[in-house]
Amino acid sequence: MVHIDVLKGDITKVNVDAIVNAANESLLGGGGVDGAIHSAAGKGLLAECRTIGGCPTGEARLTHGYNLPARYVIHTVGPIWRGGGSNEESLLFSAYTNSLILARDNGIKTIAFPSISTGIYGYPKVEAAKVAIGAIRNFLLGNLLPEKVVLVCFDDENYTLYKGLVFSD
Ligand code: AR6
């Protein structure tokens, strides 16, 4: 049984094994959810990120969670929206899938995602939500881990959208 939950709130407060960060290729912090995760985790997170040497768009990297309730942070880089003709959909699909592969390979049972690329990177919310849910369902059908995925929505618009897509079928 594919287990997906939808929650409204702040991902830095969610009690799961790993939270996913919508980072940029430098992995050295930024605004949005990335800024919130770095402030909640504390300086140790940035220090570990400096040792990684960045992450190409569509890929993912694992660090510890430091002061977060989550034990790990999986940093992934979604695409910047450039109108839809620059491979954005497959890069977003890869960002979700590569995060889930890292989770599985590290024994992570519960993982929470923000809505990657839909803030500063400008990916249209409805299209992004469909890609997110498609990638997650596809992965969970073929893998035993993670056991549960929580989709954390920061705003009402994403919350309503995700609930409609996840619970409509
Ligand atoms: N918890 C959950 N979701 C959040 C939180 C939070 N605390 N804060 C924001 N969101 P964004 P992107 C939502 O802009 O579009 C950074 O500077 C937000 O409402 O954080 O992938 C990075 O360093 C939106 O729905 O990420 C990159 O440079 C979603 O998280 C760039 O932004 C993603 O918005 C990445 O842009």
Side-chain angles (χ1 to χ4, degrees):
M1 174 63 190
V2 174
H3 197 152
I4 302 178
D5 277 355
V6 181
L7 196 90
K8 185 162 180 288
D10 178 353
I11 202 166
T12 65
K13 309 247 188 311
V14 180
N15 213 330
V16 282
D17 297 337
I19 62 170
V20 176
N21 183 16
N24 59 65
E25 289 190 338
S26 79
L27 295 189
L28 298 180
V33 71
D34 194 6
I37 288 172
H38 275 273
S39 357
K43 290 202 170 84
L45 180 61
L46 184 59
E48 186 176 353
C49 284
R50 284 193 202 286
T51 69
I52 295 175
C55 175
T57 301
E59 294 190 17
R61 301 287 185 268
L62 183 93
T63 66
H64 293 93
Y66 300 91
N67 300 334
L68 292 164
R71 183 162 181 211
Y72 297 108
V73 179
I74 292 174
H75 306 260
T76 190
V77 184
I80 298 170
W81 181 256
R82 294 192 164 91
S86 301
N87 218 19
E88 291 95 330
E89 185 176 341
S90 76
L91 288 168
L92 188 62
F93 191 94
S94 295
Y96 280 94
T97 303
N98 284 320
S99 299
L100 290 162
I101 289 171
L102 259 187
R104 178 197 66 197
D105 293 350
N106 286 279
I108 287 163
K109 290 186 180 160
T110 56
I111 182 171
F113 281 93
S115 182
I116 297 163
S117 284
T118 66
I120 293 161
Y121 280 0
Y123 206 112
K125 289 188 165 108
V126 177
E127 284 72 19
K130 288 180 182 162
V131 174
I133 291 162
I136 292 165
R137 282 200 169 129
N138 178 62
F139 190 87
L140 294 185
L141 284 172
N143 292 277
L144 295 173
L145 285 177
E147 292 170 354
K148 186 168 96 170
V149 175
V150 185
L151 300 171
V152 183
C153 304
F154 203 52
D155 54 85
D156 286 322
E157 190 187 350
N158 260 327
Y159 183 62
T160 309
L161 173 62
Y162 269 101
K163 275 211 306 188
L165 288 170
V166 169
F167 302 118
S168 63
D169 47 21

